Amino acid sequence: QVQLVESGGGLVQAGGSLRLSCAAFGRTASSYAVGWFRQAPGKERELLAAISWSGGNTYYPDSKKGRFTISRDNPKNTVYLQMNNLKPEDTAVYYCAAARGSGIVRVSTQYDYWGQGTQVTVSS
């Protein structure tokens, strides 16, 4: 069993940056691939970035390349999402998710554990 807790969300002005953290708790918390998703009101949940359990491989959908960077610190059981040049359309609830296995996971239904989410609001 793995528990995920997101933090780092908040209110930021357009053009600003935020770094989200996803802390994992559990006996083998570092042995999971992790993804960051977001969901805005009235929209489907979308993948922003994914990282392998070792941190050696990352994936970004084409539309998300450039402003988002995923990284992990396994000794701290924490995965980060650095977000730069934020825009009002980035306003959403941001979630991290963990999947058993070592490789990149691109499909939300293949994730086994989800955090409760953290709100990010970008003002214009």
Side-chain angles (χ1 to χ4, degrees):
Q1 186 76 13
V2 174
Q3 291 182 316
L4 304 173
V5 179
E6 301 97 335
S7 61
L11 175 64
V12 63
Q13 288 188 333
S17 298
L18 282 175
R19 188 178 78 158
L20 305 183
S21 298
C22 172
F25 301 92
R27 190 169 56 182
T28 56
S30 64
S31 301
Y32 288 80
V34 173
W36 278 100
F37 295 78
R38 71 182 179 190
Q39 187 166 21
K43 295 188 177 181
E44 293 187 353
R45 188 170 296 187
E46 61 175 344
L47 175 67
L48 302 173
I51 191 166
S52 61
W53 76 268
S54 68
N57 293 305
T58 58
Y59 167 78
Y60 304 90
D62 287 342
S63 61
K64 302 297 181 284
K65 291 179 180 177
R67 297 193 299 121
F68 299 95
T69 303
I70 191 170
S71 61
R72 69 189 299 163
D73 185 340
N74 280 349
K76 294 183 178 179
N77 283 340
T78 302
V79 176
Y80 304 98
L81 183 70
Q82 177 68 41
M83 306 187 294
N84 299 324
N85 190 23
L86 286 163
K87 305 173 182 180
E89 51 264 41
D90 293 318
T91 295
V93 178
Y94 286 68
Y95 300 89
C96 65
R100 298 184 189 92
S102 60
I104 296 290
V105 179
R106 305 183 183 189
V107 180
S108 62
T109 55
Q110 294 179 354
Y111 282 86
D112 301 293
Y113 304 100
W114 291 83
Q116 81 290 348
T118 185
Q119 176 71 45
V120 171
T121 302
V122 184
S123 63
S124 57

